[in-house]
Amino acid sequence: MELTPEIKSKLDKLQEKYEAMGQDMAAYLDGLLYADFLTYWDYIHLDTLLSLQSPKTPFPDEEIFIMYHQITELYFKLCLHECKQIAEHSALTVEFFTARVKRINAYFNALTSSFDVMVDGMEKEQFLKFRMSLLPASGFQSGQYRMIEICATDFTRLVDKSKREELAGASIEEKFENIYWKFGATELASGKQTLTLKQFINKYAAQFLQLVKDREQTNFSILYTKFLNDGQDVSLLAEELRKLDLFVNVEWPLSHYKSAVRYLERDPVDIAATGGTNWQKYLPPRFQKRIFYPFLWTEEQLEEWGKAWVLSVLKTIKK
Ligand code: HEM
């Protein structure tokens, strides 16, 4: 069969491409000749993905627990993928920034609306049993969740609210000593750090500190302020950032909190099943008052943070 002009022109272009790199096109064509056709399962590493569920107990619902955590971590990875693109863009525009934050919001929307898979999706009796085999592991130890926060806001905003003002001008290390989550996963009875918290810090502290330094001038908060000060139209960006603030700091925490209440509250083994932590005081968003962009909210909205009223605001923002 004759080679068509289109094929010839493509071969010429390929020849140019390889020549430019000092490569022999014929050798690469050999490679193409011997290569297998790509399959769906190889491309997405399906067999590996489906082999990553290893329950610690015989309770069937433990697999749901494992898989939903894995799904969540993949969504967190998608969020961080967007955070990186924003922070490391060589010529960032408001449009690109807005479009990427919109993607993160879509991921958090998916996570928030799917959380019923946890809340109603497992038998409480099974959960309370298999949970005991997982201690001291906890979703609290999700490093990606904390990295999203670091990328999204000025690090001072992640300092516990009792120390936030006082430490505004302090070093990154000092702020890290007082990061809000060090006040979670503590023993209810003694107030001491749990093993859960200690292991989490051991594994991630250096990585978190490095990311804080890397994002000092490229976190979402500072990038937004730069565009605002440049006199650019940031109204759509502000709207997406407000949604992000509500998704990460109110909506997802509330869906998550619902599952903690459903499985852990009002039960005689309550305390044991959480490892005896202070979660009831720690988890509700209205207690923590984590807010990425206080300058995008009114005094009243800040005051009411995490209460039902803020959610009704979200509905109007969502449109
Ligand atoms: C039945 C389902 C769940 C229950 C009962 C539950 C329970 C808890 C509890 C009690 C805490 C407080 C820390 C502690 O005392 O250990 C916590 C924290 C946390 N969990 Fe879960 N969890 C559930 C599902 C999930 C899922 C699916 C994820 C997804 C990764 C997750 C991620 C987190 C995160 C990121 C924290 C820290 C929150 C913060 O610092 O504000 N949890 N969880």
Side-chain angles (χ1 to χ4, degrees):
M1 201 177 85
E2 271 287 296
L3 287 184
T4 63
E6 285 82 8
I7 298 284
K8 278 186 184 146
S9 133
K10 282 191 178 142
L11 281 172
D12 285 343
K13 283 186 185 147
L14 268 181
Q15 178 85 333
E16 274 171 38
K17 172 179 166 174
Y18 286 111
E19 249 173 34
M21 304 305 283
Q23 300 293 297
D24 174 16
M25 180 181 77
Y28 282 87
L29 288 181
D30 271 348
L32 209 54
L33 199 60
Y34 304 135
D36 276 338
F37 287 106
L38 186 65
T39 60
Y40 168 76
W41 50 91
D42 279 340
Y43 180 56
I44 63 160
H45 295 282
L46 189 60
D47 292 344
T48 307
L49 186 65
L50 300 183
S51 72
L52 297 174
Q53 293 73 39
S54 318
K56 300 273 179 236
T57 70
F59 299 104
D61 285 3
E62 190 192 340
E63 282 210 35
I64 304 169
F65 191 65
I66 294 174
M67 277 188 261
Y68 190 71
H69 278 82
Q70 291 177 333
I71 290 165
T72 304
E73 289 294 340
L74 283 176
Y75 270 112
F76 287 167
K77 187 171 181 188
L78 281 171
C79 294
L80 286 170
H81 181 64
E82 301 304 335
C83 291
K84 192 171 160 68
Q85 289 193 63
I86 293 168
E88 296 180 4
H89 200 291
S90 57
L92 187 67
T93 60
V94 175
E95 290 69 32
F96 185 91
F97 189 3
T98 309
R100 290 325 190 254
V101 177
K102 212 170 180 170
R103 287 185 187 175
I104 301 176
N105 286 335
Y107 305 144
F108 262 92
N109 192 21
L111 282 177
T112 305
S113 49
S114 66
F115 217 94
D116 280 354
V117 172
M118 285 286 94
V119 181
D120 294 318
M122 298 177 294
E123 278 183 16
K124 188 171 170 176
E125 292 65 32
Q126 288 190 39
F127 175 85
L128 290 174
K129 287 177 186 146
F130 71 70
R131 179 76 179 85
M132 301 312 288
S133 303
L134 314 181
L135 295 173
S138 164
F140 182 91
Q141 296 172 317
S142 167
Q144 292 202 105
Y145 182 79
R146 314 298 182 190
M147 289 180 202
I148 294 170
E149 296 178 319
I150 292 171
C151 294
T153 191
D154 187 294
F155 195 47
T156 308
R157 299 299 316 166
L158 301 180
V159 170
D160 186 73
K161 70 175 193 302
S162 66
K163 296 272 176 76
R164 223 172 265 162
E165 270 182 39
E166 181 191 327
L167 294 181
S171 67
I172 286 173
E173 285 73 14
E174 208 174 331
K175 285 178 189 168
F176 184 65
E177 279 310 304
N178 291 280
I179 196 160
Y180 78 86
W181 47 257
K182 288 196 184 169
F183 296 85
T186 55
E187 281 170 19
L188 188 61
S190 64
K192 281 194 194 143
Q193 289 195 341
T194 53
L195 184 56
T196 309
L197 179 56
K198 285 183 193 153
Q199 287 188 324
F200 184 51
I201 293 171
N202 274 347
K203 174 160 170 67
Y204 285 109
Q207 215 176 320
F208 288 157
L209 281 169
Q210 187 56 52
L211 187 63
V212 177
K213 285 172 190 160
D214 291 346
R215 295 288 172 266
E216 209 171 1
Q217 292 304 315
T218 52
N219 65 68
F220 293 179
S221 191
I222 208 149
L223 290 173
Y224 168 86
T225 311
K226 280 182 192 163
F227 282 125
L228 179 73
N229 293 343
D230 278 356
Q232 303 220 27
D233 180 359
V234 289
S235 50
L236 290 177
L237 177 59
E239 193 175 318
E240 291 306 321
L241 289 176
R242 273 200 299 268
K243 281 187 197 171
L244 180 69
D245 216 351
L246 286 179
F247 271 133
V248 181
N249 293 321
V250 180
E251 287 237 324
W252 188 86
L254 278 179
S255 314
H256 172 261
Y257 181 62
K258 247 202 273 177
S259 67
V261 171
R262 150 115 158 84
Y263 293 99
L264 305 175
E265 220 172 43
R266 289 192 303 276
D267 195 286
V269 291
D270 263 9
I271 304 285
T274 65
T277 71
N278 61 342
W279 68 272
Q280 274 148 315
K281 286 187 189 155
Y282 169 74
L283 283 182
R286 68 181 188 285
F287 294 158
Q288 295 196 10
K289 280 223 168 178
R290 273 149 37 191
I291 306 174
F292 291 158
Y293 315 111
F295 46 84
L296 294 179
W297 302 100
T298 64
E299 281 302 314
E300 193 190 0
Q301 287 166 331
L302 295 175
E303 192 55 37
E304 298 287 306
W305 195 256
K307 297 184 188 164
W309 184 85
V310 177
L311 292 175
S312 67
V313 172
L314 178 74
K315 302 282 177 309
T316 59
I317 289 177
K318 264 184 180 167
K319 278 178 215 137

